Amino acid sequence: MASLRLQNLNKIYDNNVQAVFDFNMDIEDGEFIVLVGPSGCGKSTTLRMIAGLEDISSGTLLIDGEDVTQKPPKDRDIAMVFQNYALYAHMTIYENMAFSLTLRHEDPNVIHEKVLAAAEILGLTDQLNKKPRQLSGGQRQRVAMGRAIVRTPKVFLFDEPLSNLDAKLRGATRREILLLHKRLGATMIYVTHDQTEALTLADRIVCMSMGYVQQIGTPLELYDTPANLFVASFIGLPPMNFFDCTVKDGVLTGDGFTVVLTDEEKKLLAGHEGKVITLGVRPENIVHGNGIKLSVNLNENLGQTTLVHGTIGGHKATAKFREWAEYKPGDVVEVAFERKHFFDKETTNAIR
């Protein structure tokens, strides 16, 4: 496998539109990195620059310490799995998986061993004589992964590989990819707009917006200590609630509610006395309590949990209670904020 170093990568297209700004990251051998963000944030462009499918406008890409910035894709020893599978319809599954090795004129016996080994890993042994049209979407995606595995590349790249699958298949295939990573110990870089995939798969997540890296960290770091409002709003389902509040004399005053700060929170916000800040509270951190009134608009039962949507003062808010509840529109529930995040109103950066 391999380590990667991305140094000041930029992508500027011929029409002077810049898709990626100054991307910097060191990826360790065997790491599973997930690039996540909304459509158009630059994550797929970054992946394609690593693959060599997009030219790097400026910056340097190193794989195992070797500068490959100007090298063509075939010389980077990288395998890419696309969202549309990219299988050859007229070939059998065996032929699809063996194709890249056949092009390299490898020994037929070696090809046979590699294909059978990959098929065993992916549960495709009994599908090898079929054509792609005879397989389900999940099976076809496994074939695409098998085609990458047989090459034993230095780096695996995944470009939204689950986006064409239904919800049940996405979950099953996501688990297969995670098991595959653990089994191969491979360096993998994975692009998705789905934060569930990011949180469950990644050793580290790169959260991007409008071509810029917003935060790099473990899933827990992005979830529990988001660097700014964008990361806080993008990571977590349902998304974090936000309230504009004024800091004064150890109390946060919002529209229709007040919150008494702890001593630790007072120290944290000491430099914001008299200013308006943004208070962030995750739905699961809005709990039954006293002092804050949540006016219910909608109740969603999810089995062991219930999402309660409504308003707190003039702000929309969602609470995620850890029980089955049956509130009706117009009900008022008294709540408290169990865990709070604070953001600078002007810079949108977290206050730490």
Side-chain angles (χ1 to χ4, degrees):
M1 296 304 115
S3 61
L4 292 87
R5 173 165 288 183
L6 289 68
Q7 296 178 314
N8 307 109
L9 293 194
N10 289 275
K11 179 59 184 180
I12 306 171
Y13 289 103
D14 292 340
N15 58 2
N16 288 324
V17 172
Q18 187 156 356
V20 177
F21 296 81
D22 207 31
F23 192 109
N24 286 279
M25 187 179 190
D26 287 340
I27 299 172
E28 296 179 10
D29 188 358
E31 258 196 306
F32 199 128
I33 300 297
V34 177
L35 309 183
V36 69
S39 296
C41 72
K43 57 188 186 296
S44 287
T45 302
T46 302
L47 195 77
R48 290 173 66 83
M49 284 194 289
I50 295 170
L53 302 177
E54 293 276 4
D55 292 333
I56 296 172
S57 301
S58 65
T60 305
L61 172 63
L62 304 174
I63 298 179
D64 272 346
E66 180 186 358
D67 188 343
V68 299
T69 309
Q70 303 300 327
K71 282 195 172 186
K74 66 182 180 63
D75 295 331
R76 298 189 183 193
D77 200 7
I78 282 173
M80 193 159 180
V81 179
F82 299 92
Q83 67 184 69
N84 63 356
Y85 321 134
L87 303 179
Y88 296 105
H90 65 287
M91 293 183 181
T92 64
I93 301 311
Y94 183 99
E95 290 167 339
N96 266 281
M97 291 174 64
F99 186 67
S100 63
L101 303 183
T102 304
L103 284 180
R104 282 156 46 173
H105 304 292
E106 288 206 16
D107 183 292
N109 292 325
V110 173
I111 293 175
H112 187 69
E113 289 177 7
K114 288 184 176 181
V115 170
L116 290 185
E120 177 72 22
I121 290 171
L122 295 166
L124 292 169
T125 304
D126 58 350
Q127 310 294 331
L128 291 175
N129 291 323
K130 295 181 179 179
K131 298 288 180 66
R133 65 177 179 273
Q134 298 173 275
L135 272 56
S136 69
Q139 289 172 320
R140 277 180 269 180
Q141 192 56 275
R142 291 211 301 274
V143 175
M145 289 190 285
R147 188 174 52 194
I149 291 170
V150 297
R151 290 179 51 196
T152 57
K154 286 186 175 180
V155 183
F156 288 85
L157 304 181
F158 295 86
D159 191 6
E160 305 215 33
L162 309 185
S163 59
N164 289 336
L165 305 180
D166 62 39
K168 186 175 180 180
L169 269 178
R170 274 202 307 272
T173 310
R174 184 180 71 236
R175 289 188 288 275
E176 288 175 3
I177 292 173
L178 188 57
L179 289 170
L180 179 65
H181 176 252
K182 292 184 183 302
R183 183 163 183 172
L184 298 179
T187 305
M188 294 184 175
I189 306 173
Y190 186 105
V191 160
T192 183
H193 63 274
D194 186 325
Q195 59 165 292
T196 300
E197 292 176 27
L199 291 169
T200 54
L201 290 172
D203 292 321
R204 285 190 295 160
I205 295 172
V206 182
C207 188
M208 297 183 69
S209 175
M210 300 181 70
Y212 290 93
V213 173
Q214 301 295 313
Q215 186 173 359
I216 299 174
T218 66
L220 181 59
E221 286 169 345
L222 268 71
Y223 183 81
D224 205 43
T225 54
N228 53 42
L229 275 173
F230 175 81
V231 178
S233 62
F234 192 82
I235 299 294
L237 269 179
M240 187 181 286
N241 300 288
F242 298 108
F243 310 93
D244 288 341
C245 298
T246 302
V247 183
K248 191 171 183 181
D249 298 329
V251 175
L252 281 182
T253 304
D255 186 355
F257 70 94
T258 58
V259 175
V260 177
L261 298 171
T262 66
D263 289 341
E264 185 177 342
E265 290 167 347
K266 289 177 188 176
K267 291 179 183 176
L268 188 65
L269 298 176
H272 296 265
E273 184 72 15
K275 296 179 181 178
V276 176
I277 66 162
T278 300
L279 166 67
V281 185
R282 293 206 178 276
E284 57 270 32
N285 294 140
I286 296 181
V287 298
H288 294 291
N290 296 315
I292 301 173
K293 291 180 168 54
L294 170 62
S295 299
V296 178
N297 295 331
L298 180 67
N299 190 90
E300 288 186 283
N301 295 118
L302 301 175
Q304 292 184 336
T305 60
T306 303
L307 297 181
V308 180
H309 307 278
T311 55
I312 293 176
H315 299 275
K316 290 182 179 180
T318 297
K320 185 177 182 180
F321 294 137
R322 301 179 185 91
E323 72 268 355
W324 183 283
E326 295 185 354
Y327 296 109
K328 297 177 177 59
D331 286 350
V332 176
V333 185
E334 290 221 5
V335 298
F337 296 157
E338 193 172 56
R339 166 89 162 86
K340 299 182 280 293
H341 302 264
F342 307 108
F343 303 91
D344 187 284
K345 183 70 175 170
E346 294 181 3
T347 67
T348 76
N349 290 330
I351 300 171
R352 294 177 181 167

